[in-house]
Amino acid sequence: MEFEKMPTIPTADEILDRSFRRAAAKMKEKRNKDRANNEFLRAVTAAVHDRLVSIIQKFPEMEALPPFYYQMVDILYGVERLKKALGAVGWAAKNTREKGYQLSAKMRRAEDKVAVRKQGVARIASIVHQVDGELRFLNEVRNVLRKLPHVSDEYTVVVAGYPNVGKSSFIQLVSTAAPEVAAYPFTTKGVILGHRIEPAGRVQFVDTPGILDRPVEERNPIEKQALCALMNIADAILFIIDASEHCGYQFEEQELLRAEVEEMVSVPMVTVVNKSDLVTKEGYMLMSTKSGEGVDEVLAALLAYQSGYPAQHLARSAVPVASTPDEETALEYSKPFYWDVEDRDADDGTDEGSDDESLDRDLQD
């Protein structure tokens, strides 16, 4: 998964410190003081610019992500918010290069070259510090996205239902190996990924966080993540109902949620009443994850749909994710930032607040 490859995003101070050290090393190589000052400024400019561009390039293309991961990013942080942060870093890369090389050209004709060098370093530091908040935000995003469960491209059964109905217990019973627990943001319970080897291929079981029967706008991020999994990765769904109501929810409430989920998806759904050792319901498949009774029958019902994989899976994954980005913030943040910067003197009338104003102007909605 692309998120696992993303390196740590440095802060503004870390970028500047590393760039200054590299530039100082190059400066020592020059015997001519004037050339040394110019080389220092150009080296700082190049190092900061390249580091900022590298941050942007190493983030995966949002629109190229599978629907499951795209929607997870949108649920957790907002795709447009992420694009704005990357756009701000792109703005800093562009302005660092422009200001640095403009002042480098000015230095060649200036009497006090040290003063111009200091002016250039201060201007670059000011630009980078303006996006320090965005850099920290991107690093937070990176840290969380790296922990998303790795959902493989194979026949997938999503196990759904209210909390505490026996979803995790079922997966532990039917998985041939110990389930892999992947920590989700906003919950300490996490999501369980279990696998089972069958003659037709490996089967992947995904235990979603419990989802509640209430309007979409009232659901919390955990519940939205569960719905995201249902909509985008399921080849079949197992919906578990606790007829004993020991889970804390009435049977009728669970039935309403089952009907809602059935309307939302286009994949086969198997409904089963768990805890049949306590209560049974006529007209439903029954099982008890405590005694193991009925578990094999439920598994067989789910595996019956495996014959339609991967054709059904590929048909769904080919559907593009709907996206309506704001035209003013849909920046080409994944491509290299190379600008033609004229070799001319910087405008002496530029004041210290101009960078703040240009950032606000460039990124305004």
Side-chain angles (χ1 to χ4, degrees):
M1 188 170 59
E2 288 189 77
F3 296 132
E4 298 173 351
K5 303 175 184 178
M6 290 193 297
T8 301
I9 308 299
T11 64
D13 285 336
E14 289 170 343
I15 291 174
L16 292 170
D17 288 346
R18 185 174 182 181
S19 300
F20 290 158
R21 286 198 301 270
R22 287 186 174 184
K26 288 191 175 184
M27 187 178 182
K28 291 179 181 179
E29 298 174 359
K30 301 292 182 181
R31 295 184 179 181
N32 184 292
K33 290 185 178 181
D34 291 343
R35 290 184 178 179
N37 282 311
N38 196 285
E39 180 63 27
F40 181 86
L41 181 55
R42 294 181 69 86
V44 168
T45 298
V48 171
H49 170 269
D50 292 349
R51 189 68 183 92
L52 293 173
V53 170
S54 175
I55 291 170
I56 298 167
Q57 291 178 322
K58 289 180 179 178
F59 256 83
E61 286 270 13
M62 292 298 106
E63 280 72 18
L65 292 176
F68 169 71
Y69 293 108
Y70 181 97
Q71 291 193 21
M72 287 299 296
V73 171
D74 207 27
I75 289 168
L76 295 173
Y77 294 103
V79 169
E80 291 308 311
R81 172 69 182 89
L82 182 58
K83 286 183 178 180
K84 284 186 177 182
L86 291 166
V89 176
W91 172 90
K94 173 179 180 293
N95 279 272
T96 292
R97 190 170 190 268
E98 288 180 345
K99 301 295 183 184
Y101 288 163
Q102 285 172 0
L103 289 171
S104 174
K106 178 181 178 180
M107 185 187 298
R108 290 198 290 268
R109 293 181 287 274
E111 293 183 5
D112 191 347
K113 301 185 186 302
V114 174
V116 177
R117 187 199 73 194
K118 291 180 178 179
Q119 179 187 1
V121 169
R123 185 64 56 83
I124 291 171
S126 173
I127 292 170
V128 177
H129 275 120
Q130 287 177 65
V131 297
D132 185 59
E134 304 296 344
L135 292 169
R136 293 176 185 272
F137 167 74
L138 290 173
N139 193 53
E140 177 189 342
V141 173
R142 173 258 184 195
N143 290 338
V144 170
L145 296 185
R146 289 181 73 251
K147 296 178 182 179
L148 284 177
H150 182 66
V151 180
S152 304
D153 189 13
E154 56 196 359
Y155 181 68
T156 302
V157 175
V158 172
V159 185
Y162 270 88
N164 305 314
V165 296
K167 301 188 298 295
S168 302
S169 298
F170 175 81
I171 292 178
Q172 292 174 4
L173 286 172
V174 301
S175 296
T176 55
E180 171 191 350
V181 179
Y184 254 66
F186 306 111
T187 177
T188 57
K189 296 169 67 176
V191 168
I192 291 179
L193 299 179
H195 299 92
R196 181 184 184 90
I197 304 299
E198 289 290 324
R202 196 168 78 152
V203 181
Q204 179 174 237
F205 296 89
V206 179
D207 169 28
T208 62
I211 50 180
L212 305 180
D213 181 27
R214 55 184 178 182
V216 175
E217 61 271 12
E218 296 180 12
R219 290 188 174 122
N220 62 37
I222 299 173
E223 297 161 338
K224 291 179 179 178
Q225 291 170 36
L227 291 175
C228 176
L230 287 171
M231 297 295 290
N232 291 300
I233 65 172
D235 295 296
I237 294 174
L238 172 63
F239 193 92
I240 300 179
I241 295 177
D242 175 10
S244 72
E245 301 181 354
H246 284 183
C247 65
Y249 300 94
Q250 295 182 358
F251 179 82
E252 291 75 15
E253 291 180 290
Q254 298 178 65
E255 261 294 306
L256 287 173
L257 179 58
R258 185 203 65 80
E260 180 186 353
V261 171
E262 191 171 34
E263 290 180 0
M264 294 174 61
V265 299
S266 59
V267 298
M269 186 163 80
V270 174
T271 301
V272 61
V273 167
N274 190 25
K275 305 180 185 178
S276 61
D277 52 315
L278 300 176
V279 176
T280 61
K281 279 286 183 180
E282 189 175 347
Y284 290 86
M285 289 190 69
L286 303 175
M287 75 173 180
S288 170
T289 52
K290 183 177 181 180
S291 68
E293 182 181 1
V295 171
D296 289 341
E297 288 76 9
V298 173
L299 177 61
L302 293 168
L303 295 179
Y305 298 107
Q306 190 177 9
S307 60
Y309 181 88
Q312 296 174 353
H313 175 83
L314 294 174
R316 288 199 316 282
S317 63
V319 178
V321 176
S323 178
T324 55
D326 184 341
E327 290 184 359
E328 295 188 14
T329 58
L331 304 173
E332 294 184 2
Y333 56 85
S334 63
K335 298 178 181 179
F337 283 85
Y338 294 116
W339 292 273
D340 292 327
V341 181
E342 295 182 15
D343 189 15
R344 61 177 185 274
D345 289 350
D347 184 358
D348 293 336
T350 303
D351 60 348
E352 292 299 325
S354 61
D355 292 329
D356 293 318
E357 294 171 1
S358 58
L359 174 58
D360 293 339
R361 182 174 62 253
D362 291 347
L363 298 180
Q364 65 184 345
D365 293 337

